[in-house]
Amino acid sequence: MKNYPIWLLALCLFFSPTPAAAQKNWVSLFDGKTLNGWKVGDNAHTFSIEDGAIKVAGPKAHLYYMGEVNNHEFKNFELKATVKTTKGSNSGLYFHTQYQEKGWPIHGYEVQINNTHGDYIKTGSLYEVVDVREVYVNDDEWFTMHIIVKGNHVIVKINDIVVVDYTQPAKPLRVTDERQTRVIKPGTFAIQGHDPKSVVYIKDIQVKVLKD
């Protein structure tokens, strides 16, 4: 083993990134206590705070991030969240979407959250674009959802397992008119409240903005 000068070792140590520095680009979108920075139209009571998580329980509603981080507009990014489903529940995380007072979001992609709901499109799917039928996690257990978007490339990981690796083509095929705006473009995030029987918990929502 080589004996390096003490001054060189000290210099290397000084410029080595600390764990905190390595994480400095991650920014929290949810403070664990309030819905500050988030906005919902119809059926706002579907969303509440319970034990440091957003509880999604109630009729159809969508909670949009409208806060200050990146002026709530994201193009290339990484998004991480910790999620827990209950039996028969359905929800989703949207990206590249826009605020709507009511109805299903027409803009952007939905990453499905569904382990045991009757819908065959399961957790991690890019809904009706890349549909995952295998179930990777169990109800009543926390799991991590990691979405990475860079250019036209989308990766979705569930507990660090890649379940979707999709590159949007120049002319993406969307089978219905209402899906024509389900494409990559700058937008915000949203959490879906699907139906009164679905109860889902989401916490530790963080984003890292990537360079174009």
Side-chain angles (χ1 to χ4, degrees), residues 8-210:
L8 181 58
L9 293 174
L11 190 64
C12 291
L13 181 62
F14 179 79
F15 284 105
S16 296
T18 63
Q23 294 296 321
K24 68 180 181 180
N25 292 325
W26 286 99
V27 180
S28 178
L29 301 182
F30 170 55
D31 62 18
K33 299 177 182 179
T34 70
L35 293 178
N36 290 344
W38 295 80
K39 183 178 180 180
V40 60
D42 282 357
N43 299 321
H45 62 280
T46 292
F47 302 95
S48 60
I49 308 297
E50 184 175 299
D51 297 330
I54 297 174
K55 181 180 181 180
V56 187
K60 180 175 69 177
H62 293 84
L63 181 67
Y64 295 82
Y65 179 72
M66 301 297 288
E68 296 180 355
V69 176
N70 219 54
N71 197 30
H72 58 266
E73 186 170 282
F74 306 89
K75 181 181 179 182
N76 298 318
F77 64 86
E78 294 188 45
L79 182 74
K80 288 183 179 180
T82 306
V83 183
K84 181 170 68 173
T85 60
T86 59
K87 185 177 180 180
S89 292
N90 192 325
S91 183
L93 274 176
Y94 284 81
F95 65 87
H96 288 178
T97 193
Q98 300 176 20
Y99 176 78
Q100 295 176 204
E101 280 289 324
K102 59 184 178 180
W104 307 108
I106 63 172
H107 294 279
Y109 284 92
E110 178 191 357
V111 179
Q112 173 81 315
I113 299 172
N114 161 29
N115 296 320
T116 56
H117 185 273
D119 191 339
Y120 72 87
I121 302 175
K122 299 303 181 183
T123 294
S125 300
L126 283 183
Y127 200 86
E128 291 189 339
V129 176
V130 180
D131 293 334
V132 176
R133 302 199 181 201
E134 185 175 352
V135 177
Y136 288 87
V137 288
N138 298 318
D139 288 330
D140 301 310
E141 295 179 3
W142 290 104
F143 64 90
T144 58
M145 177 175 281
H146 187 180
I147 304 166
I148 305 168
V149 179
K150 182 70 172 179
N152 286 339
H153 190 200
V154 180
I155 291 176
V156 179
K157 298 180 182 181
I158 302 299
N159 285 343
D160 294 324
I161 299 170
V162 175
V163 298
V164 167
D165 189 333
Y166 169 72
T167 299
Q168 179 180 284
K171 295 182 179 181
L173 175 64
R174 300 292 179 258
V175 295
T176 62
D177 289 342
E178 64 183 16
R179 296 295 192 228
Q180 296 305 309
T181 51
R182 187 154 289 191
V183 293
I184 288 173
K185 61 181 178 180
T188 191
F189 306 111
I191 299 170
Q192 180 186 84
H194 187 271
D195 64 79
K197 295 182 180 180
S198 292
V199 180
V200 173
Y201 299 86
I202 302 176
K203 63 180 182 179
D204 304 329
I205 307 170
Q206 302 177 74
V207 68
K208 180 191 288 187
V209 177
L210 304 177

